[in-house]
Amino acid sequence: MLCGRWRSCRRRRREEPPMPAQVAAAVALPPQPAPQDTGSKRPGLRALKKLGLTEDEDVRAMLRGSRLCKIRSRTWQKERLYRLQEDGLSVWFQRKIPRAPSQHIFFVQHIEAVREGHQSEGLRRFGGAFAPARCLTIAFKGRRKNLDLVAPTAEEAQQWVRGLAKLRTRLDAMSQRERLDHWIHCYLHRADSNQDSKMSFKEIKSLLRMVNVDMNDMYAYRLFKECDHSNNERLEGTEIEEFLRRLLKRPELEEIFHRYSGEDRVLSAPELLEFLEDQGEDGATLARAQQLIQNYELNETAKQHELMTLDGFMMYLLSPDGAALDPAHTCVFQDMDQPLAHYFISSSHNTYLTDSQIGGPSSTEAYVRYQRDSGGEHSWEPSLGASVPTVGFLGATWLSLSISLMTDQLADIRAGGLILLYWLLQQLKGRVLVKGKKLPAARSEDGRILSDREEEEEEEEEEGVEAAEQRRWAKQISPELSALVVYCCATRLRTLRPAPVPPQPCQVSSLSERKAKKFIREAGNSFIRHNAHQLTRVYPLGLRMTSANYSPQEMWNSGCQLVALNFQTPGYEMDLNAGRFLINGQCGYVLKPACLREPDTNFDPECPGPPKTTLTIQVLTAQQLPKLNAEKPNSIVDPLVRVEIHGVPADCARKETNYVLNNGFNPRWGQTLQFQLRAPELVLVRFVVEDYDTTSPNDFVGQFTLPLNSLKQGYRHIHLLSKDGASLSPATLFVHIRIQSS
């Protein structure tokens, strides 16, 4: 039995005009097979045609392929054949290695940006011999390196730039149902071994393994024969469509739909409103139900009569309106007129590094990626580099002067209105804040900073490698740069005891994770009060040579605003950071809870009081989970789902379902996980899917993290992300969520 607000008997329907019998019959019919592609019966081209781009000249040129030169260095420059696959969403390329060529693909959905000309670090350094008009850069999501390419002609380069842009735009516009439809046709193309557009039972079994399901042979063959109306041991045309419809059935959604639709098997607007009210939807009205029908119903006859079929209901639940993340929170919705210290601010550490802290490569590309991931409106790339914690909705760029920058660039910015008279966040819009140490009045003849030796020794002992590195770079700061540091003056935070002279709002303290944890442990509430009006930056210990991360949650619990992480290292810590800043338009600024903003707050994360909220999550099913090893078609995942709570220590918990054997396509659980929460305003909820293994640690499949306050109740889909934060569409979890306050 599925959870929810069940009724022992169905409520009386709201008064509504009777539906004509012929209309009910028309919209209640099972979905008809899609018309066949007369231009080409190949599943791959049918998939591409669904994108509506088969006649586009740029896409057709990409289908034919191009010999593009890949640039890695001045000496490593190799020509390869690149060709768009017939699915329209992957690019095949071949590289020559001794004895035998190897073939690879990359996916359009993993592309973050396509740049023309010498607009990457690689092409600026190594592409000088090629005309910019022939050059393009494909930047990928996550940690994958850029692909710097040179085309034989400027026109061929433009065909790839324009073609990829069209494919990416079409992909972004696709609904979840369209993505699923396209996804399955892509696998049909791969499973059709002889490309005759007919599927034998052997090819159907291959298809099932490709989509991550190990179905019993007898059941699979019975399903195959039920669709083989021509009785020739081959499925083709409408028979394949029927097989796919049976394969993609969602019994759990049908059960919910029929509970509300009654005998006529269609939802009227009042019945849909009843479902929305049971979901706990804010602002559920009849007009809202009518709008959802217009937005998601596929059957025009049903839409004209304000009715929703099962297909339309599935479309709605797979859409952003049916997702776990509140759509209203995807825009800037919080008060942006509060002091800067009242916000969590997305922050990175040593942004220029792409790997380890010691000996790892550095790149200005890391800045571009970071600013892009932070929802930045623009990208300013300094000549020598800086630590750029955030560029967001406000366009307020932070620069930490850990190394010297071009003084004339910053002087121009200062002349353009850098210095501000107010500290309210909204008033910083369009400004650049420079954070750094001010040079002391006394300096040596060679320009080095003169500092108290005892303070240096104390800093060295407490901060170790990080402090030594900071002092080394501080010696290079020029007087002109120091003069720009006005509102974010770096200062040491030695104690939380009241100082003889109250600290100024323009002072910012930087603490290692070790020092911050010491303050949290020894003076929790005093630290929170300090952070209610002062900015605090926390950075990873210099001993984290591999660019590993600490959990940011403990620092957020104490109100620290700038919790800096190594963005180059994926893991649950970066998932938490992405989840924290997923909301508020992903602008990089999230308003802290009231208990962390009040100057006289008594909140202590170590003693948050009794439980205030009960979170109940029923994990129902999953859909189209990705294969972990595409090279091993017989490898099928055994998925389990874990729900993690990250918040104050008393709230932190993790619970998981059993695993489902050999089914990543449509596994079912129906298990309930419940959590008692004491400080719900700080909670992040992380949904994780793993592949169970009896002899080694489970393998990561996908995850999604979001704040509890942005989690919608009722039946919801969780749209999973990869380890690098890229979409795994159409992979989803289907859950029921209930949040009850004490």
Side-chain angles (χ1 to χ4, degrees):
M1 166 129 353
L2 302 177
C3 76
R5 202 173 85 194
W6 304 119
R7 296 150 294 182
S8 56
C9 60
R10 184 170 177 79
R11 296 179 189 169
R12 176 179 294 179
R13 296 184 186 177
R14 294 170 173 80
E15 293 299 322
E16 55 186 291
M19 181 172 57
Q22 63 271 25
V23 174
V27 300
L29 288 173
Q32 298 302 305
Q36 293 302 298
D37 179 6
T38 56
S40 173
K41 296 183 178 181
R42 282 151 46 197
L45 286 181
R46 287 209 305 271
L48 181 59
K49 187 169 184 179
K50 289 176 181 295
L51 295 176
L53 294 172
T54 50
E55 302 305 317
D56 184 89
E57 289 300 323
D58 294 322
V59 172
R60 291 169 72 91
M62 293 170 64
L63 286 168
R64 292 191 296 268
S66 298
R67 291 201 168 275
L68 306 176
C69 183
K70 180 177 178 180
I71 308 294
R72 271 193 185 170
S73 69
R74 297 193 193 283
T75 57
W76 199 104
Q77 301 180 2
K78 298 185 179 181
E79 186 182 87
R80 292 175 176 171
L81 175 63
Y82 290 82
R83 186 167 60 226
L84 179 69
Q85 298 289 83
E86 290 183 346
D87 59 18
L89 293 185
S90 60
V91 176
W92 172 96
F93 62 95
Q94 185 178 58
R95 67 182 186 189
K96 295 180 180 179
I97 58 175
R99 299 185 181 178
S102 60
Q103 299 177 0
H104 302 268
I105 62 171
F106 63 81
F107 295 96
V108 175
Q109 73 183 76
H110 293 161
I111 296 176
E112 184 65 54
V114 180
R115 307 182 210 149
E116 304 176 52
H118 295 168
Q119 294 299 313
S120 71
E121 184 178 15
L123 285 175
R124 281 195 297 270
R125 294 176 62 188
F126 311 124
F130 305 99
R134 293 172 52 198
C135 299
L136 67 143
T137 296
I138 300 175
F140 295 96
K141 300 174 182 177
R143 301 183 71 184
R144 183 168 178 171
K145 294 180 180 178
N146 289 352
L147 186 57
D148 292 324
L149 300 170
V150 179
T153 65
E155 176 55 26
E156 205 159 353
Q158 278 299 305
Q159 287 174 333
W160 279 86
V161 171
R162 292 190 302 255
L164 288 173
K166 293 169 187 175
L167 290 168
R168 293 176 62 222
T169 299
R170 181 65 187 94
L171 178 61
D172 291 342
M174 289 172 70
S175 69
Q176 185 75 3
R177 186 63 175 268
E178 288 176 312
R179 289 171 187 257
L180 174 59
D181 190 33
H182 192 277
W183 178 84
I184 199 70
H185 275 86
C186 294
Y187 279 107
L188 270 174
H189 174 62
R190 290 172 54 189
D192 186 6
S193 56
N194 58 1
Q195 297 298 294
D196 64 351
S197 297
K198 300 178 182 180
M199 303 293 290
S200 66
F201 180 65
K202 182 179 179 180
E203 289 172 325
I204 286 291
K205 283 290 291 181
S206 176
L207 170 68
L208 293 174
R209 287 192 295 270
M210 286 180 183
V211 299
N212 225 348
V213 59
D214 186 14
M215 189 180 290
N216 176 275
D217 278 2
M218 290 183 62
Y219 176 77
Y221 186 68
R222 184 170 75 248
L223 186 62
F224 176 86
K225 289 303 295 180
E226 287 173 357
C227 300
D228 182 18
H229 301 298
S230 57
N231 203 31
N232 64 354
E233 297 297 321
R234 294 285 189 278
L235 301 185
E236 57 182 310
T238 57
E239 296 173 338
I240 295 176
E241 297 284 348
E242 182 181 349
F243 180 84
L244 295 181
R245 286 203 310 276
R246 289 173 178 250
L247 189 64
L248 294 169
K249 280 175 68 73
R250 296 280 303 274
E252 75 281 18
L253 288 188
E254 293 181 22
E255 181 181 343
I256 300 166
F257 180 80
H258 293 155
R259 180 171 289 108
Y260 287 87
S261 66
E263 296 178 358
D264 49 29
R265 293 299 193 257
V266 287
L267 283 175
S268 64
E271 288 171 332
L272 179 57
L273 173 60
E274 186 177 359
F275 172 77
L276 297 177
E277 291 174 339
D278 287 355
Q279 288 272 92
E281 285 275 4
D282 294 332
T285 63
L286 186 61
R288 172 63 173 161
Q290 292 166 337
Q291 185 61 52
L292 291 176
I293 291 173
Q294 295 304 310
N295 289 348
Y296 298 110
E297 178 52 50
L298 303 176
N299 186 299
E300 287 300 324
T301 304
K303 187 184 293 187
Q304 291 170 10
H305 290 82
E306 293 188 345
L307 300 172
M308 180 175 275
T309 64
L310 176 60
D311 272 1
F313 187 64
M314 291 183 180
M315 283 284 288
Y316 158 60
L317 286 179
L318 284 167
S319 76
D321 284 316
L325 174 64
D326 190 338
H329 289 194
T330 60
C331 304
V332 174
F333 72 98
Q334 295 182 328
D335 179 6
M336 306 304 283
D337 281 319
Q338 299 208 25
L340 194 58
H342 286 185
Y343 296 86
F344 295 128
I345 304 171
S346 179
S347 308
S348 71
H349 177 66
N350 285 353
T351 313
Y352 53 87
L353 294 177
T354 61
D355 200 350
S356 63
Q357 299 290 310
I358 305 297
S362 61
S363 171
T364 56
E365 287 293 332
Y367 293 102
V368 179
R369 178 176 291 114
Y370 175 78
Q371 291 178 332
R372 184 179 61 225
D373 293 345
S374 297
E377 295 178 347
H378 63 276
S379 172
W380 175 64
E381 193 171 303
S383 300
L384 294 178
S387 173
V388 185
T390 187
V391 176
F393 139 81
L394 294 173
T397 306
W398 287 71
L399 299 178
S400 178
L401 298 181
S402 57
I403 57 179
S404 179
L405 301 176
M406 295 300 288
T407 308
D408 55 348
Q409 290 181 349
L410 288 180
D412 288 343
I413 296 171
R414 186 173 189 260
L418 172 71
I419 308 305
L420 308 177
L421 299 177
Y422 303 99
W423 265 105
L424 298 182
L425 182 55
Q426 185 69 34
Q427 292 168 319
L428 301 178
K429 188 173 182 178
R431 309 289 182 165
V432 175
L433 300 183
V434 179
K435 172 191 171 291
K437 290 185 178 181
K438 297 279 287 183
L439 289 176
R443 304 181 70 198
S444 68
E445 292 181 358
D446 62 0
R448 290 184 295 106
I449 298 175
L450 297 178
S451 59
D452 183 79
R453 182 60 186 162
E454 290 183 355
E455 180 177 328
E456 272 196 14
E457 291 174 353
E458 178 188 351
E459 199 171 79
E460 203 166 322
E461 180 182 342
E462 291 180 349
E463 313 300 352
V465 176
E466 178 72 19
E469 183 74 5
Q470 287 181 347
R471 287 196 304 278
R472 183 169 70 87
W473 285 117
K475 296 174 184 178
Q476 301 181 32
I477 297 178
S478 68
E480 292 83 0
L481 294 178
S482 177
L484 292 172
V485 180
V486 177
Y487 284 95
C488 296
C489 181
T491 183
R492 298 222 32 228
L493 180 61
R494 301 184 184 185
T495 177
L496 292 171
R497 291 193 297 271
V501 179
Q504 300 300 308
C506 62
Q507 295 177 341
V508 182
S509 302
S510 287
L511 308 174
S512 72
E513 57 178 290
R514 179 189 297 157
K515 184 68 173 288
K517 288 180 179 180
K518 182 180 179 183
F519 278 139
I520 293 170
R521 185 174 61 251
E522 298 178 358
N525 180 253
S526 296
F527 194 31
I528 290 174
R529 291 190 179 193
H530 170 86
N531 291 327
H533 57 86
Q534 294 289 133
L535 285 173
T536 297
R537 171 181 173 266
V538 182
Y539 58 84
L541 276 175
L543 297 176
R544 293 182 177 272
M545 303 300 184
T546 60
S547 293
N549 276 311
Y550 58 93
S551 173
Q553 185 67 47
E554 187 176 7
M555 314 306 171
W556 289 328
N557 291 343
S558 295
C560 297
Q561 298 88 354
L562 296 152
V563 182
L565 297 179
N566 292 308
F567 273 38
Q568 66 269 32
T569 307
Y572 87 91
E573 301 92 347
M574 276 302 300
D575 293 341
L576 296 184
N577 193 79
R580 175 66 69 198
F581 296 102
L582 176 67
I583 63 169
N584 211 29
Q586 297 188 50
C587 70
Y589 298 86
V590 171
L591 189 63
K592 297 195 296 188
C595 64
L596 299 180
R597 305 195 309 263
E598 298 161 354
D600 299 322
T601 180
N602 292 317
F603 179 74
D604 185 345
E606 297 295 326
C607 304
K612 302 175 184 176
T613 300
T614 300
L615 171 64
T616 305
I617 298 175
Q618 187 177 27
V619 182
L620 300 172
T621 60
Q623 294 75 42
Q624 292 80 56
L625 299 177
K627 289 182 72 70
L628 299 183
N629 192 340
E631 304 300 323
K632 295 182 179 179
N634 292 323
S635 174
I636 310 294
V637 301
D638 305 323
L640 62 83
V641 178
R642 183 173 64 252
V643 178
E644 300 174 356
I645 302 298
H646 298 265
V648 299
D651 287 345
C652 291
R654 53 172 56 193
K655 296 181 180 180
E656 63 187 32
T657 67
N658 299 328
Y659 67 90
V660 174
L661 187 65
N662 286 336
N663 189 350
F665 184 74
N666 55 2
R668 299 173 64 93
W669 290 278
Q671 292 181 247
T672 301
L673 311 175
Q674 192 171 87
F675 305 89
Q676 301 295 325
L677 307 176
R678 293 164 174 77
E681 62 273 24
L682 281 165
V683 163
L684 290 171
V685 184
R686 183 171 182 251
F687 297 86
V688 188
V689 181
E690 290 183 342
D691 179 17
Y692 176 77
D693 198 306
T694 56
T695 59
S696 61
N698 295 343
D699 291 320
F700 175 89
V701 175
Q703 69 85 33
F704 190 77
T705 306
L706 74 169
L708 176 71
N709 290 341
S710 298
L711 187 63
K712 300 203 74 175
Q713 298 194 68
Y715 292 102
R716 301 291 169 186
H717 280 97
I718 310 290
H719 297 264
L720 295 174
L721 303 176
S722 71
K723 187 176 293 185
D724 287 336
S727 170
L728 289 175
S729 180
T732 53
L733 287 177
F734 187 54
V735 300
H736 185 277
I737 299 165
R738 180 180 295 176
I739 303 172
Q740 297 170 296
S741 300
S742 302

